[in-house]
Amino acid sequence: PLYYRGIGPNFEEIRGGSMKRKHTKQPAAQVPAPQPRREVARLSPDPEQGLTLHQVKERQQNGWAKDPVDSPTKTVGQIVRENVFTFFNFIFVVLAALLVAVGSFDDMLFLLIAVANTGIGIVQQLRSKQTVDKLNLLAAPRANVVREGNLISVPAAQLVRDDVAELASGDQIPADATVLSGQVQVNEALITGEADAITKAPGDELLSGAFVVSGRCRARLDRVGAESYAARLTLEAKKDVTVGKSEMMSSLDKLIRIIGILLIPIGVALFVKEFVFLERTAQEAVVSMVAALIGMIPEGLYLLTSVALAVSMIRLAQGKVLAQDMNCIETLARVDVLCVDKTGTITEPHMEVGEVVYLDEEKYAETVVTETLNAFYQSMEADNDTARAMAQKFHGKSLWHAAQTIPFTSATKWSAAVFPGHGAFVVGAPEFIMGNRYADLKEAVDPWSEKGYRVLLVAEYGGVPDQKGLDPRRVSPMALVALSNRIRPAAPKTFRYFAEQGVAVKVISGDNPVTVSEVARQAGIEGAEKYVDAATLRSDEDIARAVREYTVFGRVTPNQKRKLVRALQRQGHTVAMT
């Protein structure tokens, strides 16, 4: 919120005097209770005027406000009931009830095992619930909205559908929205895993949970509360992940059920023998029967298993690992396929510029290329690892001034700048810049990709670049820049360990598959030479075939990552993913 930044209470001061309206703070109000939803006509408000207070109130009363979303985790009562009312405990309670019936209270110490086992389960699940309930992609407590022509700051819980929000650098997008005016670059890494900044212009959709990294815009809120992308993603992360007991606990439960059924006729026979044939008292007969039956129940093994899993949970917690259910400890031990990313997992997260290959030294000498890149990265905001590595390498001062810049996006895979008097230049993935002319450069690019480098093309462009696409005929290649991530020192040892444990490793990355394959080979991953470009996988059948045949997957989109994991699971694998 603007008035938290210590710049001043007036909107004129914050905007450098460019705006006339006063930036006012709306008095704090109680968050209204969730209302039953009734249909209200959608509006396309003027970005300068926003909604009226009447329209805001109408939406709040009809259930279109940004109400808090209930956590889908189990309640405390559900957790307690699930751990108390088990078949294991039922057997012990029945035996204890028989002892109570005959007044033998001193022989009920065996209940301590049931109590300990139940307590371990309850405490572990309550701790997990407490941690999971805190998960939230949306952290911004307030938002700036336009209402009746005034820009005001309101609690995020008071936002309604069709509100006009003003978003600037550093703001988190509070709800799914559509840009009405202005232009921003947003970082959607928190919700998609892709760190590249994406430009959003009027008409483009903004996803809640993303952050604005540059620019300013006004946007209409389309989906608020539980309907928003961030809320749905958060709910999916929080939902109960228990898919059944582990194989060990399931086997023990099955054993307990079989024994529980057999205990009935055995108990009757023992009681008859003690009471009728040996002519003992009812109390002696019951105590003797219960003692014999307790010995038949493997309660020590049951407790030992729970304790072992609980200790594992504690060890993981000490390593800052959240395990939502004790059974996942054994599931983790049964993983036979591990899916990993490249950058930040196999390699260090930071990139370094390696070599610069000059493609036409007569026209574009080393000094020309260096001067161009110095000017380019002086004008371009370094908003991803590649750009930061390039800006660190080409940081010389330049007198060139850019009249226009087009930032890098994960869709186009290139960025551009226009310098009056010097020309227009593009930097990015060679195959995306060259298009159908990529074959002209393939021989120069492939040797570097095969060594594990990420390769960028620096080219002059004849005309003004269009973000919708480049004309390959206007591209004049200048140089190739090879960048690399260092292999993490522990990576080869780690992957060797997984190979010894019989765990297959699949590398799933958004980078060039040839580059990823070489990096995987350097890290010692078995089968790294088997790679595929995920862009060629069109159907679920293609993906199912690919996960059987290939180890390395390049150019993978976030949605394809989920499909790859599901395809492996359908083939009977227990899959873990970083």
Side-chain angles (χ1 to χ4, degrees), residues 475-549:
V475 176
S476 300
M478 299 170 63
L480 297 175
V481 181
L483 299 97
S484 64
N485 296 98
R486 292 181 182 175
I487 302 291
R488 284 186 179 275
K493 180 180 177 181
T494 303
F495 291 120
R496 188 163 57 250
Y497 167 80
F498 281 117
E500 292 169 354
Q501 297 295 317
V503 178
V505 176
K506 303 285 185 181
V507 185
I508 301 176
S509 173
D511 288 344
N512 185 303
V514 178
T515 301
V516 181
S517 173
E518 175 58 21
V519 169
R521 186 194 66 77
Q522 293 176 17
I525 296 175
E526 295 182 2
E529 71 283 355
K530 301 175 183 177
Y531 62 85
V532 64
D533 187 335
T536 63
L537 305 178
R538 307 293 183 185
S539 65
D540 290 343
E541 289 74 20
D542 291 340
I543 290 175
R545 174 184 51 80
V547 296
R548 286 192 298 267
E549 298 178 5

Side-chain angles (χ1 to χ4, degrees), residues 70 194 216 400 465 468 539:
D70 292 334
E194 302 296 325
R216 184 181 302 278
W400 297 11
K468 296 180 180 178
S539 65

